[in-house]
Amino acid sequence: MPRTKAEPLVALSCRGRLSEVRPALADLRAALAEQTGGACAEGLDSVEIAVAEVLNNIVEHAGPSDRRGAIRIEVRAGACGLLVRVSDDGRPMPNGAPPCAALPALDVPCADLPEGGFGWGLVQALTAELHYRRAAGRNELALRFACPGGGVAEPSGAAKTPD
């Protein structure tokens, strides 16, 4: 039976555990490859990398959850690219917004290079648009990826990430 416009290309969920992140990403990648017929392979790489960072941040910072379906991932397509919505029932983001996208300084000696601090900068570099909101006790993150031949409707009711 054909999918209706209201149905996502992909919808899956996992618990907030690191052991479930990699399988969820593999399922996401496989489902998107199947749904897009292999088109937009480079765009799928960006989706996988950004969603991996988002899921790892949820597990590390939003708090663990053993509830079934604590993290939900939905992907829709349209004329402007792919829209990925990730929601979780963990703690809200500090200050009600994703962290600043500023990357750590790289013009330092190798021994002084930071181990972390690259995640949100990477997510924002890979996405065409990113929105966050807290609603009904859940964090909702909408990420739009430019992907020729696949697009999305604009996310509604979400605040734009500060530049």
Side-chain angles (χ1 to χ4, degrees), residues 35-104:
Q35 291 293 329
T36 62
C40 195
E42 187 175 308
L44 295 185
D45 292 341
S46 294
V47 170
E48 183 176 12
I49 292 167
V51 172
E53 181 62 31
V54 167
L55 294 179
N56 285 323
N57 279 338
I58 290 169
V59 172
E60 281 188 47
H61 304 293
S65 176
D66 289 332
R67 291 184 297 279
R68 181 172 160 82
I71 300 173
R72 293 187 197 123
I73 305 164
E74 288 189 356
V75 182
R76 297 179 190 280
C80 299
L82 294 172
L83 176 67
V84 178
R85 290 186 184 273
V86 180
S87 67
D88 70 88
D89 58 1
R91 290 185 294 273
M93 287 195 183
N95 303 315
C100 178
L103 293 171

Side-chain angles (χ1 to χ4, degrees), residues 50 98-102 119-130 143 161-163:
C100 178
W120 280 105
L122 179 63
V123 169
Q124 290 192 358
L126 292 171
T127 57
E129 196 170 353
L130 185 143
L143 308 112
T161 299
D163 294 325

Side-chain angles (χ1 to χ4, degrees), residues 85 95-98 124 129-134 140-142 155-162:
R85 290 186 184 273
N95 303 315
Q124 290 192 358
E129 196 170 353
L130 185 143
H131 296 269
Y132 169 79
R133 74 178 186 160
R134 178 83 175 177
E140 298 178 359
L141 190 63
S156 61
K160 174 81 170 113
T161 299

